[in-house]
């Protein structure tokens, strides 16, 4: 993985430091040093020097416009200054598309979805200072659309038994525990009724007690129908 230290990256790091300082109640310089160290620098000023050294004219004007909004990049967003680079929010760098072919801790569509949800939820004072164009070009737009469609289909396909279980997840008894586990299992066949649920749980090598809880749950569900 190659990393180029550019003024754009410096600006991105500066914003991350502000966020970190706010989140962890640090002084700005402490957060900046932490960010610089995570990128392999001894401190912020060495990191900043390295970023600004990569351009011939010294970076000047953009940093001194506190009133203007800062472009916020979602995971996979194309960089505005250099259209060959895309933002990777898992590595916090701008990189060429081949960077995204390497193993990351979750899928790019999932990461993009998480970041866009965060963006929509920024508190007003932060939201006033950042922007992302509605038509921002993103490397994973199609994958995100497919993921959303898949999530919608899963929600729509939930069996009546599964919907009943969702409502039991807060209970403080074996049925509640079972309901909690099932509704937090991303691989669970949500369309399943009793027979398929039982064989799914059996395939997971669950205990007798869990199977008893399932029998109890089904009994209650049937009585409620
Ligand atoms: Zn990455």
């Amino acid at each position: 993985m190659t990393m180029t230290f550019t003024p754009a990256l410096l600006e991105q790091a500066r914003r991350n430091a502000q966020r970190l300082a706010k989140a962890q109640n640090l002084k700005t310089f402490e957060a900046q040093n932490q960010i610089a160290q995570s990128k392999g620098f001894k401190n912020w000023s060495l990191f900043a020097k390295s970023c600004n050294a990569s351009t011939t004219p010294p970076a000047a004007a953009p940093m001194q416009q506190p009133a203007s909004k800062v472009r916020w990049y979602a995971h996979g967003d194309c960089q505005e200054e250099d259209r060959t680079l895309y933002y990777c929010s898992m590595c916090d760098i701008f990189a060429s598309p081949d960077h995204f072919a390497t193993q990351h801790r979750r899928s790019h569509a999932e990461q993009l979805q998480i970041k866009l949800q965060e963006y929509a939820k920024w508190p007003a004072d932060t939201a006033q200072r950042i922007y992302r164009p509605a038509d921002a070009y993103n490397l994973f737009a199609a994958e995100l659309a497919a993921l959303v469609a898949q999530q919608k289909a899963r929600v729509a396909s939930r069996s009546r038994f599964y919907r009943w279980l969702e409502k039991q997840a807060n209970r403080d008894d074996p049925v509640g525990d079972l309901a909690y586990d099932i509704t937090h299992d991303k691989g669970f066949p949500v369309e399943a009724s009793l027979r398929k649920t039982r064989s799914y749980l059996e395939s997971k090598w669950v205990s007798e007690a869990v199977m008893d809880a399932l029998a109890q749950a089904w009994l209650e569900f049937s009585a409620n129908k």
Side-chain angles (χ1 to χ4, degrees):
M1 176 165 63
T2 55
M3 212 189 271
T4 39
F5 298 103
T6 62
L9 179 71
L10 176 62
E11 186 50 34
Q12 183 80 32
R14 198 187 297 279
R15 289 199 298 274
N16 286 336
Q18 278 167 1
R19 245 179 265 162
L20 181 70
K22 211 171 163 188
Q24 301 191 0
N25 206 13
L26 300 171
K27 296 251 186 330
T28 304
F29 78 89
E30 291 174 323
Q32 287 181 337
N33 281 342
Q34 261 191 41
I35 299 257
Q37 279 157 10
S38 76
K39 295 178 190 301
F41 289 85
K42 209 171 151 213
N43 58 44
W44 179 261
S45 85
L46 289 175
F47 170 62
K49 210 178 271 176
S50 159
C51 288
N52 286 327
S54 64
T55 47
T56 5
M63 312 284 181
Q64 291 155 358
Q65 298 175 343
S68 69
K69 289 198 174 197
V70 178
R71 169 72 159 90
W72 178 87
Y73 285 92
H75 184 73
D77 269 5
C78 187
Q79 198 194 80
E80 289 180 1
E81 297 81 20
D82 181 346
R83 309 293 289 172
T84 65
L85 297 177
Y86 299 83
Y87 182 56
C88 178
S89 62
M90 285 187 265
C91 305
D92 193 18
I93 54 167
F94 285 96
S96 55
D98 54 348
H99 165 82
F100 298 89
T102 60
Q103 185 69 39
H104 282 68
R105 63 177 180 272
R106 64 170 71 89
S107 88
H108 296 298
E110 279 175 342
Q111 177 73 3
L112 173 57
Q113 187 177 46
I114 290 168
K115 289 290 150 187
L116 289 177
Q117 284 164 352
E118 280 176 17
Y119 180 67
K121 279 190 263 171
W122 281 117
D125 59 327
T126 309
Q128 278 170 4
R129 286 184 282 113
I130 57 174
Y131 81 100
R132 176 180 188 260
D135 61 348
Y137 182 74
N138 188 286
L139 216 45
F140 306 107
E143 279 171 53
L144 177 63
L147 176 68
V148 169
Q150 202 181 35
Q151 288 165 340
K152 278 189 182 159
R154 182 174 152 92
V155 167
S157 73
R158 289 169 304 161
S159 69
R160 282 177 35 218
F161 181 45
Y162 186 89
R163 288 166 203 239
W164 181 85
L165 280 172
E166 284 180 323
K167 294 184 196 133
Q168 317 305 317
N170 290 327
R171 278 169 57 169
D172 190 16
D173 67 356
V175 172
D177 294 345
L178 172 76
Y180 183 89
D181 288 347
I182 281 180
T183 52
H184 286 77
D185 179 352
K186 280 188 180 176
F188 187 84
V190 295
E191 75 291 353
S193 194
L194 180 61
R195 204 156 51 91
K196 232 178 139 186
T197 299
R198 192 186 285 140
S199 50
Y200 177 81
L201 291 179
E202 277 166 0
S203 76
K204 294 265 169 183
W205 299 94
V206 298
S207 67
E208 278 290 306
V210 172
M211 300 314 278
D212 289 348
L214 176 63
Q216 176 64 28
W218 182 260
L219 219 72
E220 289 183 32
F221 163 70
S222 306
N224 259 302
K225 263 200 280 200

